[in-house]
Amino acid sequence: MTKHFFCIWLLLFSMLSLSGQKKLIHGSVQDRKSKDFLTGALVGVGNIGTVTDELGKFKLELDESISTLKVKMVGYQDLNLDITSGIEFIIFLDETSYLLNTTVITSSRFEKPISESSVSMSVIKSELSSKLNSNNVSQILDRVPGVQIIDGQANIRGGSGYSYGAGSRVLLLMDDLPALQSDAGFPNWDDLPLENIGQIEIVKGASSAVYGSSAMNGIIHFRSNYPASEPYTAITIMPRIFLKPENGNEWWGKNQELDFPYEGFVSFVHRQKMKSWDVSTSAAFTTKVGYNKNHDQNTIRVHGLIRKRLQDRLTLSVGLNFNKGESSSFFYWKDKGLFEGDAGSSSSSKKFRFTIDPTVRYVSKLDYHHSLRSRFYHVYNGADNNQSNQSENLYTEYQLSKNIQAIGIQIIGGILLNQSWTKAKLYSDTNFIHNNLAGFLQFEKKFFNRLILTAGLRYESYRIEGPEYAGGLKVQAKQSEDTVLFRFGLNYKVFETTFIRASFGQGYRFPTIAENYISTKAGGLSIMANPNLHSEHGFGVEIGLKQGFKIGKTIGFLDLAFFQSRYYDMMEFVLNNQLQFQSKNIGDTDIKGLELEFQTRTELVDFVFTTSGGYTFIEPKYLEFDLAGKLLPINERDSASRGMQNAANSSSNENILKYRSKHLLRFDLQIDYKKLYGGISFNYASHVQAIDWLFELSLFLKGIKDYRAVHDHGYRVYDLRIGYHFKQLDLQANLQNAFNEDYTIRPGIMDAPRNLSVRATYSY
């Protein structure tokens, strides 16, 4: 009997031992087409899983009884992997429809397909900069539905007008970190290494609860390209000449002047993986003699990123961005439609700007993602006319995130400290210290594999220490403000390619040092400080539909959105009793509108047709607007009601916010035939109905009212291109503004006439 019990016990022990045996599965995950290793792919079964590292590798310990693994990656088809045949695997994933599954991160800080976002987003791929022969990010942003660049400042769906180089409502990010000039909140577009672009993500609508003060109207996130599995090197040469404008008001080709204004651009890019190292470098040089006289530029920029994988879970990296050069410009023309500046409105500057970005990332054994990232940003703009400024900014942020797969929740939180030091002749020639402390928490929960709910909150605290006097006024030397912001969103997958979204987000913006303390002149115009300026706040709501489709050989998507933005105590530069521009709180405003965006791709034998574009309509209004203000004398306007001041400061009798186009239309068509390709782009903006009334007085600025009276139809700009892909050489020629449209985006300065550019890119 004892022998029988011993045998039974031995058999049970053997079975339990076998069932508890483990095996170590390892391997790599790659893109089937490009063979690039995929970072962040999820490999697992049930509640057991891991993600691939930055070399696409994974390790996973499993029970011997498990025979199948699931492999998932944003933008790729899920794969069920049979693991009974071995322990080492090379896994290839296939892309799903790239139009709906472009991976984005900016909208919620979680990596996801763009179709699952709860807010409107547009994505610019690297191909667009090549299509347009662009060497500056602002040139390609101006082709995105709902986006307009007005004299260097970004305007998304009418959320901003023209603010004289200070106080952007659109946050600029570069590789997850803020890149606005800290004293003025101004985007220096030519700092961004367009030659090494990965993609640009544009979030449309209030995003302060996610990213803070300057994200009140949206976000533009420039993401650099990282090394793939194979090394990549490219050299680009791109000359451009500007031809004579339709109106005959050019300055060149006369009186022994230059025959043609021109622009030259040369860039170099190299990306490579070397064992545990990733290296990405680029450099670009631009020289320009402007079509607007004395709008000249010589600039060199250098960008680099080095990343070291110390182990599977720990990564160190450091980025460097450097920009040095000189430029000149004028603020307004000499007279109607001229490409020359008025006396006294010209300025020149020498710039020196750089960023250093050290980052540490660590993934714990329990799959908690830790990130400590920082950026030191130095700015020196050595301008004449007492307009020089210098600032240093130190931004540090710690993030912790966790994907709890068992209950379908993603959580990310963080704290940050943003501190800047500014000294400038522009700002009463004194020192300022600016501190911003913030904390944020974001949740995302998926239900039934269809409904995604997003919620977030953010605490912001601002402190500014400055002078006791500014602009001749005694002011509060120390200012502080605190606020809490919320956002909510949902995305529901109705059918396989039908997604409904809705969102609510609060907006908030603290005045920049420039808006509070600037004191300068531009020709006959003066801009003065307003130390009593206070912050603006508001909200944005949206409901949208993204619909993918396939009709015959055509695949694509349509995206329709209805939106509203409300701003309280909005800040704008307006005139005071002394006919000086000054940033003031103008009261409450409201912007309603709709936007339709689309992309399609059609393959017919050897032809590929690709289209993209969109239409945006806005209705931007003051909530206080009283035409009686137009009858007031100048010396009574400061004491008048806000509604009367808003009407008095506008050139229009209609209640419409200044410097907005109600209608924007973008369209692009490309046709590829084997290695030959060509395309056409169309860019339309309706007439800007309201500007500052002073700009239409010939006593100050000549010819603007007359020009606007004739050119009251907006602008329609067509660009043509043709190119050929050789084995390692890509040649392309562009004719931009092909029909030589005579137009301005910002009154008082002409935009580019017809121009011809050629791009040659050699890559290996």
Side-chain angles (χ1 to χ4, degrees), residues 662-676:
K662 281 190 172 184
H663 306 272
L664 293 178
L665 180 63
R666 312 286 195 243
F667 177 77
D668 185 272
L669 165 67
Q670 172 140 331
I671 303 173
D672 292 83
Y673 174 72
K674 297 182 179 179
K675 295 184 178 182
L676 178 68

Side-chain angles (χ1 to χ4, degrees), residues 119 203-212 215-219 487 505-507:
V119 297
V203 178
K204 302 173 182 179
S207 303
S208 295
V210 187
Y211 287 96
M216 190 168 190
N217 181 218
I219 301 167
R487 72 176 295 246
Q506 291 184 304

Side-chain angles (χ1 to χ4, degrees), residues 54-55 273-278 307-310:
E54 291 175 353
L55 284 178
K273 288 181 179 291
M274 297 178 288
K275 295 184 179 179
S276 61
W277 293 86
D278 293 345
R307 185 165 56 186
K308 170 68 174 176
R309 293 176 294 279
L310 296 178

Side-chain angles (χ1 to χ4, degrees), residues 18-33:
L18 287 171
S19 65
Q21 285 183 353
K22 302 281 188 179
K23 63 179 178 180
L24 183 65
I25 302 295
H26 61 96
S28 63
V29 180
Q30 297 176 241
D31 181 295
R32 186 181 301 278
K33 185 175 180 181

Side-chain angles (χ1 to χ4, degrees), residues 125-134 140 194 197 236 238 670 677 721 730 732 734 759 761:
K125 295 291 190 179
S126 59
E127 294 83 5
L128 182 58
S129 64
S130 299
K131 284 181 182 179
L132 299 178
N133 275 5
S134 299
I140 59 177
L194 188 57
I197 178 178
T236 297
M238 189 171 63
Q670 172 140 331
Y677 61 93
R721 62 182 179 271
D730 190 70
Q732 181 176 307
N734 285 46
R759 177 178 56 83
T761 299

Side-chain angles (χ1 to χ4, degrees), residues 340-360:
E340 298 182 59
D342 197 18
S345 73
S346 297
S347 63
S348 61
S349 66
K350 293 183 178 180
K351 63 183 177 185
F352 177 63
R353 301 190 288 263
F354 69 85
T355 61
I356 301 175
D357 308 336
T359 300
V360 181

Side-chain angles (χ1 to χ4, degrees), residues 401-530:
S401 64
K402 171 69 173 175
N403 184 2
I404 310 174
Q405 300 172 43
I407 55 176
I409 288 183
Q410 288 181 298
I411 304 174
I412 186 170
I415 56 174
L416 65 90
L417 176 63
N418 188 15
Q419 185 162 0
S420 64
W421 301 264
T422 301
K423 180 176 176 61
K425 292 181 180 179
L426 268 174
Y427 317 131
S428 306
D429 198 19
T430 190
N431 294 302
F432 295 89
I433 299 175
H434 171 216
N435 291 287
N436 170 210
L437 178 66
F440 62 88
L441 191 61
Q442 307 286 331
F443 297 88
E444 194 165 280
K445 165 68 176 172
K446 180 172 272 192
F447 297 89
F448 320 115
N449 210 32
R450 285 188 177 273
L451 175 64
I452 300 174
L453 297 182
T454 304
L457 62 89
R458 184 182 181 99
Y459 166 75
E460 290 272 329
S461 174
Y462 282 87
R463 304 286 185 273
I464 291 182
E465 296 182 25
E468 294 185 358
Y469 290 88
L473 301 173
K474 184 175 177 60
V475 299
Q476 186 177 353
K478 294 184 179 181
Q479 301 180 51
S480 62
E481 191 168 315
D482 302 85
T483 190
V484 177
L485 302 162
F486 298 91
R487 72 176 295 246
F488 305 96
L490 66 86
N491 183 292
Y492 183 70
K493 183 178 179 180
V494 182
F495 304 110
E496 187 62 30
T497 59
T498 304
F499 299 84
I500 294 175
R501 65 180 183 275
S503 64
F504 167 86
Q506 291 184 304
Y508 169 77
R509 190 169 76 86
F510 194 80
T512 63
I513 292 172
E515 289 170 299
N516 270 132
Y517 300 105
I518 190 170
S519 180
T520 188
K521 289 187 176 182
L525 300 178
S526 296
I527 302 175
M528 68 174 294
N530 182 6

